[in-house]
Amino acid sequence: MTAPAIIDRPQRRDAAENREIILSAAAAVLSINPDASVDDIAAAASLSRRAVYGHFSGRDAIVEQTLTRGASRIATSVASVEHEDALVELALLGATLWAEVNHARALANFALRGPHRRQVAAALAPLRSRLEETIARGVRDNDIRSDIAPKTLARLIEGGALAVLDEATRARMSLQRGHRLVILSALSTAGMSWRGAEKLIDTHPILHVSMGAK
Amino acid sequence: MTAPAIIDRPQRRDAAENREIILSAAAAVLSINPDASVDDIAAAASLSRRAVYGHFSGRDAIVEQTLTRGASRIATSVASVEHEDALVELALLGATLWAEVNHARALANFALRGPHRRQVAAALAPLRSRLEETIARGVRDNDIRSDIAPKTLARLIEGGALAVLDEATRARMSLQRGHRLVILSALSTAGMSWRGAEKLIDTHPILHVSMGAK
DNA sequence: TATAACTTGCACATTGCTGTGCAAGTTATA
DNA sequence: TATAACTTGCACAGCAATGTGCAAGTTATA
Protein backbone atom coordinates (compact mmCIF):
# COMPACT_ATOMS: atom_id res chain seq x y z
CA MET A 1 0.00 0.00 0.00
CA THR A 2 1.03 3.53 -0.58
CA ALA A 3 1.15 6.04 2.22
CA PRO A 4 -2.31 6.57 3.72
CA ALA A 5 -1.91 10.25 3.09
CA ILE A 6 -4.69 12.38 4.48
CA ILE A 7 -5.81 14.36 1.49
CA ASP A 8 -7.92 17.45 1.83
CA ARG A 9 -10.10 18.00 -1.18
CA PRO A 10 -11.75 21.34 -1.82
CA GLN A 11 -15.48 21.78 -1.40
CA ARG A 12 -17.48 20.19 -4.16
CA ARG A 13 -19.18 22.43 -6.68
CA ASP A 14 -22.66 21.04 -6.10
CA ALA A 15 -22.33 21.73 -2.39
CA ALA A 16 -21.72 25.40 -3.03
CA GLU A 17 -24.69 25.36 -5.39
CA ASN A 18 -26.87 23.78 -2.75
CA ARG A 19 -25.91 26.47 -0.30
CA GLU A 20 -27.17 29.05 -2.78
CA ILE A 21 -30.30 27.05 -3.42
CA ILE A 22 -31.03 26.96 0.29
CA LEU A 23 -30.66 30.71 0.61
CA SER A 24 -32.90 31.33 -2.39
CA ALA A 25 -35.48 28.96 -1.02
CA ALA A 26 -35.24 30.66 2.35
CA ALA A 27 -35.80 34.08 0.80
CA ALA A 28 -38.84 32.81 -1.05
CA VAL A 29 -40.36 30.88 1.84
CA LEU A 30 -39.62 33.48 4.51
CA SER A 31 -41.10 36.25 2.39
CA ILE A 32 -44.39 34.38 2.61
CA ASN A 33 -44.18 33.03 6.14
CA PRO A 34 -41.49 34.46 8.41
CA ASP A 35 -42.10 31.60 10.86
CA ALA A 36 -41.31 28.88 8.34
CA SER A 37 -39.44 25.92 9.87
CA VAL A 38 -36.10 24.53 8.76
CA ASP A 39 -38.07 21.66 7.31
CA ASP A 40 -40.13 24.04 5.20
CA ILE A 41 -36.99 25.68 3.86
CA ALA A 42 -35.35 22.32 3.19
CA ALA A 43 -38.42 21.14 1.32
CA ALA A 44 -38.45 24.28 -0.81
CA ALA A 45 -34.79 23.64 -1.60
CA SER A 46 -35.50 19.97 -2.39
CA LEU A 47 -33.03 18.84 0.25
CA SER A 48 -33.33 16.92 3.47
CA ARG A 49 -33.52 18.82 6.71
CA ARG A 50 -30.33 17.11 7.80
CA ALA A 51 -28.43 18.35 4.75
CA VAL A 52 -29.39 21.92 5.55
CA TYR A 53 -27.69 21.58 8.92
CA GLY A 54 -24.58 20.60 6.99
CA HIS A 55 -24.49 24.05 5.46
CA PHE A 56 -25.72 26.24 8.29
CA SER A 57 -25.27 26.06 12.01
CA GLY A 58 -28.98 26.50 12.59
CA ARG A 59 -32.15 28.28 11.66
CA ASP A 60 -30.93 31.58 12.98
CA ALA A 61 -27.87 31.42 10.76
CA ILE A 62 -30.07 30.85 7.72
CA VAL A 63 -32.31 33.76 8.58
CA GLU A 64 -29.32 35.94 9.31
CA GLN A 65 -27.64 35.11 6.00
CA THR A 66 -30.86 35.60 4.08
CA LEU A 67 -31.40 39.03 5.57
CA THR A 68 -27.80 40.16 5.19
CA ARG A 69 -27.82 38.99 1.60
CA GLY A 70 -31.09 40.70 0.71
CA ALA A 71 -30.01 43.87 2.43
CA SER A 72 -26.69 44.04 0.62
CA ARG A 73 -28.33 43.33 -2.73
CA ILE A 74 -30.69 46.21 -2.17
CA ALA A 75 -27.97 48.45 -0.78
CA THR A 76 -25.86 47.83 -3.86
CA SER A 77 -28.69 48.61 -6.24
CA VAL A 78 -29.65 51.70 -4.31
CA ALA A 79 -26.10 53.04 -4.31
CA SER A 80 -26.09 53.32 -8.11
CA VAL A 81 -29.31 55.33 -8.26
CA GLU A 82 -28.87 59.01 -8.94
CA HIS A 83 -30.76 61.74 -10.78
CA GLU A 84 -30.84 65.51 -10.70
CA ASP A 85 -34.60 65.55 -10.29
CA ALA A 86 -35.43 64.35 -6.78
CA LEU A 87 -38.79 63.01 -7.89
CA VAL A 88 -37.23 60.92 -10.61
CA GLU A 89 -34.66 59.66 -8.15
CA LEU A 90 -37.43 58.74 -5.76
CA ALA A 91 -39.17 56.86 -8.55
CA LEU A 92 -35.94 55.05 -9.37
CA LEU A 93 -35.56 54.01 -5.76
CA GLY A 94 -39.03 52.50 -5.94
CA ALA A 95 -38.13 50.68 -9.14
CA THR A 96 -35.01 49.33 -7.44
CA LEU A 97 -37.11 47.89 -4.67
CA TRP A 98 -39.37 46.32 -7.23
CA ALA A 99 -36.41 44.66 -8.91
CA GLU A 100 -35.73 42.87 -5.62
CA VAL A 101 -39.27 42.06 -4.56
CA ASN A 102 -38.53 38.74 -2.93
CA HIS A 103 -35.61 40.03 -0.93
CA ALA A 104 -37.41 43.22 -0.02
CA ARG A 105 -40.44 41.35 1.24
CA ALA A 106 -38.36 38.88 3.21
CA LEU A 107 -36.68 41.83 4.88
CA ALA A 108 -39.94 43.60 5.52
CA ASN A 109 -41.35 40.54 7.23
CA PHE A 110 -38.56 40.70 9.77
CA ALA A 111 -38.26 44.46 10.02
CA LEU A 112 -40.94 44.79 12.66
CA ARG A 113 -41.23 41.63 14.72
CA GLY A 114 -38.89 39.08 16.18
CA PRO A 115 -35.38 39.18 17.54
CA HIS A 116 -33.95 40.22 14.17
CA ARG A 117 -35.51 43.67 14.27
CA ARG A 118 -32.30 45.47 15.11
CA GLN A 119 -30.23 43.63 12.55
CA VAL A 120 -32.69 44.32 9.77
CA ALA A 121 -33.03 47.94 10.75
CA ALA A 122 -29.27 48.29 10.59
CA ALA A 123 -29.11 46.52 7.24
CA LEU A 124 -31.78 48.76 5.79
CA ALA A 125 -30.14 51.91 7.11
CA PRO A 126 -28.46 52.80 3.79
CA LEU A 127 -31.72 52.61 1.90
CA ARG A 128 -33.53 54.63 4.51
CA SER A 129 -30.96 57.38 4.81
CA ARG A 130 -30.79 57.59 1.05
CA LEU A 131 -34.56 57.90 0.89
CA GLU A 132 -34.58 60.64 3.50
CA GLU A 133 -31.83 62.49 1.65
CA THR A 134 -33.70 62.37 -1.63
CA ILE A 135 -36.87 63.51 0.06
CA ALA A 136 -35.14 66.39 1.83
CA ARG A 137 -33.72 67.53 -1.49
CA GLY A 138 -37.12 67.28 -3.13
CA VAL A 139 -38.63 69.39 -0.39
CA ARG A 140 -35.94 72.06 -0.85
CA ASP A 141 -36.64 72.10 -4.59
CA ASN A 142 -40.36 72.41 -3.93
CA ASP A 143 -40.96 69.12 -5.74
CA ILE A 144 -42.03 67.16 -2.68
CA ARG A 145 -44.67 67.98 -0.07
CA SER A 146 -43.58 69.97 2.95
CA ASP A 147 -46.55 69.22 5.19
CA ILE A 148 -45.06 65.99 6.53
CA ALA A 149 -41.65 65.68 8.17
CA PRO A 150 -39.13 64.07 5.78
CA LYS A 151 -38.36 61.28 8.25
CA THR A 152 -42.02 60.41 8.62
CA LEU A 153 -42.63 60.76 4.92
CA ALA A 154 -39.77 58.36 4.24
CA ARG A 155 -41.44 55.71 6.40
CA LEU A 156 -44.77 56.24 4.72
CA ILE A 157 -43.30 55.89 1.27
CA GLU A 158 -41.47 52.79 2.39
CA GLY A 159 -44.65 51.33 3.86
CA GLY A 160 -46.67 52.19 0.80
CA ALA A 161 -44.11 50.55 -1.45
CA LEU A 162 -44.22 47.36 0.59
CA ALA A 163 -47.99 47.38 0.37
CA VAL A 164 -47.66 47.51 -3.40
CA LEU A 165 -45.16 44.66 -3.33
CA ASP A 166 -47.60 42.58 -1.30
CA GLU A 167 -50.53 43.35 -3.53
CA ALA A 168 -48.49 42.76 -6.68
CA THR A 169 -47.40 39.36 -5.40
CA ARG A 170 -50.89 38.47 -4.28
CA ALA A 171 -52.44 39.42 -7.61
CA ARG A 172 -49.59 37.90 -9.66
CA MET A 173 -49.13 41.22 -11.36
CA SER A 174 -46.98 41.50 -14.50
CA LEU A 175 -43.50 42.89 -14.11
CA GLN A 176 -44.32 46.03 -16.09
CA ARG A 177 -47.47 46.70 -14.11
CA GLY A 178 -45.77 46.20 -10.76
CA HIS A 179 -42.87 48.38 -11.81
CA ARG A 180 -45.15 51.25 -12.71
CA LEU A 181 -47.33 50.78 -9.66
CA VAL A 182 -44.49 51.04 -7.16
CA ILE A 183 -43.39 54.25 -8.80
CA LEU A 184 -46.89 55.68 -8.84
CA SER A 185 -47.30 54.84 -5.18
CA ALA A 186 -44.07 56.57 -4.19
CA LEU A 187 -44.84 59.69 -6.21
CA SER A 188 -48.38 59.91 -4.89
CA THR A 189 -47.27 59.61 -1.30
CA ALA A 190 -44.62 62.22 -2.03
CA GLY A 191 -47.43 64.60 -2.83
CA MET A 192 -47.93 64.55 -6.57
CA SER A 193 -51.33 64.43 -8.21
CA TRP A 194 -51.95 61.23 -10.12
CA ARG A 195 -51.92 62.99 -13.48
CA GLY A 196 -48.66 64.61 -12.59
CA ALA A 197 -47.19 61.26 -11.61
CA GLU A 198 -48.34 59.61 -14.82
CA LYS A 199 -46.88 62.46 -16.84
CA LEU A 200 -43.57 62.32 -15.01
CA ILE A 201 -43.21 58.64 -15.80
CA ASP A 202 -44.14 59.08 -19.44
CA THR A 203 -41.68 61.93 -19.99
CA HIS A 204 -38.76 60.04 -18.45
CA PRO A 205 -37.76 56.96 -20.48
CA ILE A 206 -35.46 55.89 -17.65
CA LEU A 207 -38.57 55.13 -15.61
CA HIS A 208 -39.94 52.73 -18.19
CA VAL A 209 -39.66 48.97 -18.29
CA SER A 210 -36.01 47.93 -18.19
CA MET A 211 -34.85 50.42 -15.54
CA GLY A 212 -31.28 51.70 -15.42
CA ALA A 213 -28.87 49.02 -14.23
CA LYS A 214 -28.99 45.32 -15.00
CA MET B 1 -78.71 19.65 58.90
CA THR B 2 -80.86 21.25 56.25
CA ALA B 3 -81.13 19.80 52.79
CA PRO B 4 -77.77 19.79 50.99
CA ALA B 5 -79.36 21.72 48.14
CA ILE B 6 -77.16 22.18 45.14
CA ILE B 7 -77.31 25.89 44.50
CA ASP B 8 -76.24 27.42 41.18
CA ARG B 9 -74.97 30.94 41.60
CA PRO B 10 -74.64 33.22 38.62
CA GLN B 11 -71.24 34.18 37.21
CA ARG B 12 -69.42 36.66 39.42
CA ARG B 13 -69.08 40.21 38.19
CA ASP B 14 -65.27 40.29 38.45
CA ALA B 15 -65.05 37.17 36.32
CA ALA B 16 -66.89 38.89 33.50
CA GLU B 17 -64.59 41.85 33.93
CA ASN B 18 -61.55 39.63 33.74
CA ARG B 19 -62.79 38.18 30.50
CA GLU B 20 -62.90 41.68 29.05
CA ILE B 21 -59.49 42.47 30.46
CA ILE B 22 -58.04 39.40 28.80
CA LEU B 23 -59.48 40.37 25.43
CA SER B 24 -58.19 43.92 25.73
CA ALA B 25 -54.77 42.64 26.72
CA ALA B 26 -54.86 40.22 23.80
CA ALA B 27 -55.68 42.99 21.34
CA ALA B 28 -52.81 45.09 22.65
CA VAL B 29 -50.26 42.30 22.80
CA LEU B 30 -51.21 40.66 19.52
CA SER B 31 -51.09 43.97 17.68
CA ILE B 32 -47.41 44.09 18.59
CA ASN B 33 -46.51 40.44 18.30
CA PRO B 34 -49.02 38.13 16.62
CA ASP B 35 -47.10 35.13 17.95
CA ALA B 36 -47.50 36.12 21.59
CA SER B 37 -48.03 33.14 23.90
CA VAL B 38 -50.94 32.62 26.25
CA ASP B 39 -48.49 33.44 29.02
CA ASP B 40 -47.72 36.82 27.43
CA ILE B 41 -51.40 37.62 27.19
CA ALA B 42 -52.04 36.49 30.77
CA ALA B 43 -49.17 38.65 32.01
CA ALA B 44 -50.53 41.67 30.15
CA ALA B 45 -53.87 41.03 31.79
CA SER B 46 -52.24 40.61 35.21
CA LEU B 47 -53.68 37.14 35.55
CA SER B 48 -52.17 33.70 35.79
CA ARG B 49 -51.94 31.58 32.69
CA ARG B 50 -54.18 29.02 34.39
CA ALA B 51 -56.91 31.58 34.98
CA VAL B 52 -56.99 32.45 31.31
CA TYR B 53 -57.82 28.84 30.52
CA GLY B 54 -60.78 29.24 32.83
CA HIS B 55 -62.23 31.81 30.44
CA PHE B 56 -61.21 30.48 27.06
CA SER B 57 -60.85 27.00 25.68
CA GLY B 58 -57.44 27.79 24.30
CA ARG B 59 -55.19 30.22 22.51
CA ASP B 60 -57.11 29.87 19.28
CA ALA B 61 -60.34 30.85 20.98
CA ILE B 62 -58.70 34.00 22.36
CA VAL B 63 -57.34 34.97 18.97
CA GLU B 64 -60.64 34.22 17.34
CA GLN B 65 -62.60 36.33 19.82
CA THR B 66 -60.12 39.18 19.57
CA LEU B 67 -60.37 39.26 15.79
CA THR B 68 -64.13 38.94 15.66
CA ARG B 69 -64.44 41.70 18.23
CA GLY B 70 -62.08 44.07 16.43
CA ALA B 71 -63.72 43.38 13.11
CA SER B 72 -67.20 44.07 14.37
CA ARG B 73 -66.10 47.28 16.07
CA ILE B 74 -64.64 48.51 12.82
CA ALA B 75 -67.57 47.27 10.78
CA THR B 76 -69.96 49.17 13.04
CA SER B 77 -68.00 52.39 12.78
CA VAL B 78 -67.65 52.07 9.05
CA ALA B 79 -71.35 51.52 8.55
CA SER B 80 -72.19 54.97 9.89
CA VAL B 81 -69.80 56.77 7.53
CA GLU B 82 -71.43 58.56 4.65
CA HIS B 83 -70.84 61.72 2.62
CA GLU B 84 -71.87 63.03 -0.77
CA ASP B 85 -68.27 63.79 -1.73
CA ALA B 86 -66.47 60.48 -2.31
CA LEU B 87 -63.14 62.00 -1.30
CA VAL B 88 -64.50 63.20 2.01
CA GLU B 89 -66.08 59.80 2.58
CA LEU B 90 -62.74 58.16 1.87
CA ALA B 91 -61.08 60.47 4.37
CA LEU B 92 -63.73 59.62 6.94
CA LEU B 93 -63.10 55.93 6.41
CA GLY B 94 -59.46 56.57 7.16
CA ALA B 95 -60.36 58.50 10.29
CA THR B 96 -62.55 55.61 11.39
CA LEU B 97 -59.63 53.24 11.09
CA TRP B 98 -57.53 55.62 13.11
CA ALA B 99 -60.13 55.64 15.86
CA GLU B 100 -59.62 51.91 16.21
CA VAL B 101 -55.87 51.72 15.78
CA ASN B 102 -55.25 48.87 18.20
CA HIS B 103 -57.99 46.69 16.79
CA ALA B 104 -57.07 47.54 13.23
CA ARG B 105 -53.43 46.65 13.76
CA ALA B 106 -54.29 43.42 15.54
CA LEU B 107 -56.41 42.49 12.56
CA ALA B 108 -53.77 43.50 10.06
CA ASN B 109 -51.22 41.31 11.78
CA PHE B 110 -53.38 38.29 11.11
CA ALA B 111 -54.75 39.33 7.74
CA LEU B 112 -51.84 37.89 5.79
CA ARG B 113 -50.24 34.99 7.65
CA GLY B 114 -51.36 32.10 9.76
CA PRO B 115 -54.43 29.91 9.79
CA HIS B 116 -56.72 32.84 10.58
CA ARG B 117 -56.27 34.47 7.18
CA ARG B 118 -59.65 33.44 5.86
CA GLN B 119 -61.53 34.42 8.98
CA VAL B 120 -59.96 37.86 9.05
CA ALA B 121 -60.51 38.38 5.36
CA ALA B 122 -64.18 37.55 5.85
CA ALA B 123 -64.43 39.84 8.86
CA LEU B 124 -62.87 42.71 6.96
CA ALA B 125 -65.08 42.18 3.93
CA PRO B 126 -67.56 44.95 4.85
CA LEU B 127 -64.80 47.52 5.18
CA ARG B 128 -63.21 46.46 1.94
CA SER B 129 -66.35 46.43 -0.13
CA ARG B 130 -67.30 49.78 1.31
CA LEU B 131 -63.89 51.13 0.37
CA GLU B 132 -64.19 49.79 -3.16
CA GLU B 133 -67.65 51.28 -3.48
CA THR B 134 -66.51 54.71 -2.38
CA ILE B 135 -63.54 54.55 -4.71
CA ALA B 136 -65.66 53.50 -7.66
CA ARG B 137 -67.99 56.42 -7.00
CA GLY B 138 -65.03 58.79 -6.77
CA VAL B 139 -63.73 57.57 -10.09
CA ARG B 140 -67.12 58.11 -11.72
CA ASP B 141 -67.21 61.65 -10.32
CA ASN B 142 -63.69 62.29 -11.60
CA ASP B 143 -62.50 62.90 -8.04
CA ILE B 144 -60.32 59.81 -7.80
CA ARG B 145 -57.60 58.59 -10.14
CA SER B 146 -58.62 56.29 -12.96
CA ASP B 147 -55.19 54.90 -13.81
CA ILE B 148 -55.39 52.12 -11.23
CA ALA B 149 -58.16 49.54 -10.98
CA PRO B 150 -60.51 50.35 -8.07
CA LYS B 151 -59.93 46.93 -6.47
CA THR B 152 -56.17 47.39 -6.57
CA LEU B 153 -56.41 50.96 -5.42
CA ALA B 154 -58.51 49.86 -2.46
CA ARG B 155 -55.77 47.50 -1.35
CA LEU B 156 -53.11 50.16 -1.76
CA ILE B 157 -55.05 52.68 0.29
CA GLU B 158 -55.64 50.03 2.92
CA GLY B 159 -51.95 49.14 2.98
CA GLY B 160 -50.91 52.77 3.12
CA ALA B 161 -53.26 53.41 6.01
CA LEU B 162 -51.80 50.51 7.95
CA ALA B 163 -48.31 51.83 7.29
CA VAL B 164 -49.40 55.12 8.83
CA LEU B 165 -50.88 53.29 11.81
CA ASP B 166 -47.59 51.48 12.33
CA GLU B 167 -45.51 54.60 12.02
CA ALA B 168 -47.84 56.56 14.26
CA THR B 169 -47.61 53.90 16.95
CA ARG B 170 -43.85 53.63 16.60
CA ALA B 171 -43.32 57.37 16.85
CA ARG B 172 -45.93 57.82 19.61
CA MET B 173 -47.68 60.38 17.47
CA SER B 174 -50.38 62.60 18.96
CA LEU B 175 -53.99 61.74 18.23
CA GLN B 176 -54.52 64.85 16.12
CA ARG B 177 -51.41 64.26 14.08
CA GLY B 178 -52.21 60.60 13.45
CA HIS B 179 -55.75 61.46 12.53
CA ARG B 180 -54.65 63.97 9.92
CA LEU B 181 -51.89 61.73 8.62
CA VAL B 182 -54.13 58.77 7.89
CA ILE B 183 -56.43 61.05 5.95
CA LEU B 184 -53.59 62.61 4.02
CA SER B 185 -52.25 59.19 3.14
CA ALA B 186 -55.60 57.99 1.83
CA LEU B 187 -56.18 61.11 -0.24
CA SER B 188 -52.68 61.06 -1.68
CA THR B 189 -52.94 57.44 -2.70
CA ALA B 190 -56.33 58.24 -4.19
CA GLY B 191 -54.55 60.63 -6.52
CA MET B 192 -54.80 64.08 -4.98
CA SER B 193 -51.91 66.49 -4.87
CA TRP B 194 -50.74 67.24 -1.35
CA ARG B 195 -51.93 70.84 -1.48
CA GLY B 196 -55.30 69.65 -2.67
CA ALA B 197 -55.49 67.15 0.18
CA GLU B 198 -54.55 69.76 2.79
CA LYS B 199 -57.13 72.12 1.39
CA LEU B 200 -59.84 69.48 1.37
CA ILE B 201 -59.24 68.75 5.04
CA ASP B 202 -59.20 72.42 6.00
CA THR B 203 -62.45 73.19 4.19
CA HIS B 204 -64.33 70.28 5.77
CA PRO B 205 -64.73 70.69 9.53
CA ILE B 206 -66.03 67.14 9.75
CA LEU B 207 -62.49 65.98 8.97
CA HIS B 208 -60.99 67.83 11.90
CA VAL B 209 -60.18 66.52 15.36
CA SER B 210 -63.24 64.96 16.93
CA MET B 211 -64.59 63.20 13.81
CA GLY B 212 -68.29 62.46 13.39
CA ALA B 213 -69.46 59.77 15.79
CA LYS B 214 -68.17 59.10 19.28
C1' DT C 1 -11.86 4.53 -10.70
C1' DA C 2 -10.73 5.23 -5.96
C1' DT C 3 -11.89 8.33 -2.57
C1' DA C 4 -13.36 12.15 -0.17
C1' DA C 5 -17.31 15.19 -0.22
C1' DC C 6 -21.85 15.26 0.19
C1' DT C 7 -26.73 13.63 1.08
C1' DT C 8 -30.08 10.85 3.36
C1' DG C 9 -32.82 8.70 6.91
C1' DC C 10 -33.19 7.45 11.38
C1' DA C 11 -32.79 7.92 16.33
C1' DC C 12 -32.39 10.82 20.17
C1' DA C 13 -32.08 14.64 23.60
C1' DT C 14 -33.76 19.31 24.34
C1' DT C 15 -36.62 23.26 24.42
C1' DG C 16 -40.74 25.98 24.62
C1' DC C 17 -45.45 26.16 24.40
C1' DT C 18 -50.14 24.17 24.96
C1' DG C 19 -53.79 22.34 27.60
C1' DT C 20 -55.51 19.82 31.87
C1' DG C 21 -56.02 18.13 36.82
C1' DC C 22 -55.93 19.15 41.48
C1' DA C 23 -55.38 21.19 46.09
C1' DA C 24 -55.16 25.35 48.53
C1' DG C 25 -56.04 29.83 48.69
C1' DT C 26 -58.99 34.45 48.02
C1' DT C 27 -63.11 37.12 47.03
C1' DA C 28 -67.81 38.36 45.74
C1' DT C 29 -72.40 37.74 47.06
C1' DA C 30 -76.87 35.39 48.45
C1' DT D 1 -70.99 34.98 57.24
C1' DA D 2 -71.32 30.72 54.79
C1' DT D 3 -70.56 29.21 50.35
C1' DA D 4 -69.89 28.94 45.69
C1' DA D 5 -67.21 31.31 42.21
C1' DC D 6 -62.92 32.39 41.02
C1' DT D 7 -57.72 32.55 41.07
C1' DT D 8 -53.27 30.59 41.85
C1' DG D 9 -49.38 27.52 41.67
C1' DC D 10 -47.71 23.28 40.69
C1' DA D 11 -47.29 19.02 38.26
C1' DC D 12 -47.79 16.56 34.16
C1' DA D 13 -48.61 14.86 29.38
C1' DG D 14 -48.40 16.07 24.56
C1' DC D 15 -46.66 18.17 20.58
C1' DA D 16 -43.85 20.49 17.25
C1' DA D 17 -39.50 22.18 16.16
C1' DT D 18 -34.49 22.45 16.93
C1' DG D 19 -30.03 20.55 16.69
C1' DT D 20 -26.76 16.41 16.78
C1' DG D 21 -24.74 11.64 15.97
C1' DC D 22 -24.16 7.89 13.07
C1' DA D 23 -24.37 4.40 9.39
C1' DA D 24 -25.33 3.73 4.71
C1' DG D 25 -25.90 5.49 0.52
C1' DT D 26 -24.72 8.63 -3.88
C1' DT D 27 -21.90 11.74 -6.63
C1' DA D 28 -18.21 14.80 -8.06
C1' DT D 29 -13.49 14.88 -9.04
C1' DA D 30 -8.39 14.23 -8.41
Side-chain angles (χ1 to χ4, degrees):
Chain A
M1 288 183 211
T2 56
I6 298 169
I7 309 167
D8 272 292
R9 281 199 200 162
Q11 187 191 50
R12 253 161 61 175
R13 188 164 30 81
D14 58 335
E17 278 168 18
N18 280 340
R19 194 173 198 280
E20 293 304 306
I21 292 173
I22 292 171
L23 285 176
S24 295
V29 169
L30 293 174
S31 75
I32 295 170
N33 171 24
D35 294 325
S37 69
V38 174
D39 211 34
D40 294 332
I41 296 171
S46 300
L47 285 175
S48 69
R49 191 172 69 93
R50 194 59 187 81
V52 171
Y53 280 103
H55 289 281
F56 299 92
S57 63
R59 206 195 100 103
D60 269 9
I62 302 177
V63 173
E64 210 251 14
Q65 287 279 311
T66 306
L67 297 183
T68 304
R69 199 153 222 269
S72 75
R73 282 193 65 144
I74 291 177
T76 306
S77 307
V78 160
S80 68
V81 170
E82 201 169 350
H83 197 279
E84 52 163 357
D85 186 338
L87 281 173
V88 176
E89 188 169 302
L90 178 63
L92 287 172
L93 288 173
T96 294
L97 219 55
W98 173 252
E100 305 284 351
V101 212
N102 271 334
H103 296 276
R105 295 221 312 147
L107 281 171
N109 269 330
F110 284 92
L112 300 171
R113 347 174 286 96
H116 298 276
R117 269 178 292 111
R118 305 194 136 208
Q119 188 205 338
V120 177
L124 282 179
L127 168 62
R128 287 182 163 162
S129 66
R130 181 56 183 282
L131 192 56
E132 285 175 31
E133 248 178 67
T134 304
I135 289 172
R137 182 155 65 89
V139 172
R140 278 200 305 276
D141 297 350
N142 261 343
D143 286 333
I144 292 183
R145 70 196 311 164
S146 57
D147 59 338
I148 299 177
K151 252 199 164 64
T152 305
L153 189 52
R155 295 305 185 96
L156 298 194
I157 290 177
E158 186 185 322
L162 291 174
V164 175
L165 263 43
D166 273 351
E167 174 63 8
T169 305
R170 209 192 56 77
R172 301 178 195 287
M173 210 166 279
S174 77
L175 290 181
Q176 290 84 6
R177 194 90 199 93
H179 176 84
R180 193 178 186 98
L181 209 53
V182 181
I183 295 178
L184 285 174
S185 165
L187 294 177
S188 290
T189 307
M192 293 190 85
S193 74
W194 70 276
R195 290 194 194 278
E198 291 283 351
K199 193 168 186 178
L200 186 91
I201 296 180
D202 289 339
T203 57
H204 287 85
I206 200 180
L207 295 180
H208 296 175
V209 275
S210 74
M211 74 211 68
K214 106 172 170 178
Chain B
M1 289 181 207
T2 56
I6 298 170
I7 308 168
D8 272 290
R9 280 197 199 165
Q11 186 190 50
R12 255 160 60 175
R13 188 164 29 80
D14 59 335
E17 277 168 19
N18 281 340
R19 192 171 201 279
E20 292 305 305
I21 292 174
I22 292 171
L23 285 176
S24 295
V29 169
L30 294 174
S31 75
I32 294 170
N33 171 23
D35 294 324
S37 69
V38 173
D39 210 33
D40 294 332
I41 296 171
S46 300
L47 284 175
S48 68
R49 190 172 69 94
R50 194 61 187 80
V52 171
Y53 281 102
H55 290 281
F56 298 92
S57 63
R59 206 195 98 104
D60 269 9
I62 301 177
V63 173
E64 208 252 15
Q65 287 280 311
T66 305
L67 297 183
T68 303
R69 201 152 219 271
S72 75
R73 282 193 65 143
I74 291 177
T76 305
S77 308
V78 161
S80 67
V81 170
E82 201 171 349
H83 197 280
E84 52 163 356
D85 186 338
L87 281 173
V88 176
E89 189 168 301
L90 179 62
L92 286 173
L93 289 173
T96 294
L97 219 54
W98 172 252
E100 304 284 351
V101 212
N102 271 334
H103 295 277
R105 297 222 309 146
L107 281 172
N109 269 328
F110 284 92
L112 300 171
R113 350 175 284 94
H116 298 275
R117 270 178 291 112
R118 306 195 135 207
Q119 189 204 337
V120 176
L124 284 178
L127 168 61
R128 287 183 164 162
S129 66
R130 182 55 184 281
L131 192 54
E132 284 175 33
E133 248 178 69
T134 304
I135 289 172
R137 180 155 65 90
V139 173
R140 276 199 306 276
D141 298 351
N142 260 343
D143 287 333
I144 292 184
R145 72 195 310 163
S146 57
D147 59 337
I148 298 177
K151 251 198 167 63
T152 305
L153 189 53
R155 295 303 184 98
L156 298 194
I157 290 177
E158 186 186 322
L162 292 174
V164 176
L165 263 43
D166 273 350
E167 174 63 7
T169 305
R170 210 192 56 78
R172 300 178 195 289
M173 208 166 279
S174 77
L175 290 182
Q176 290 85 5
R177 194 91 200 93
H179 177 83
R180 192 177 186 96
L181 210 53
V182 181
I183 296 178
L184 285 175
S185 166
L187 294 179
S188 291
T189 306
M192 293 190 85
S193 73
W194 70 276
R195 290 193 194 279
E198 291 283 353
K199 193 168 186 178
L200 185 90
I201 296 180
D202 289 339
T203 56
H204 286 85
I206 200 179
L207 296 180
H208 296 173
V209 274
S210 73
M211 75 213 65
K214 102 164 174 189

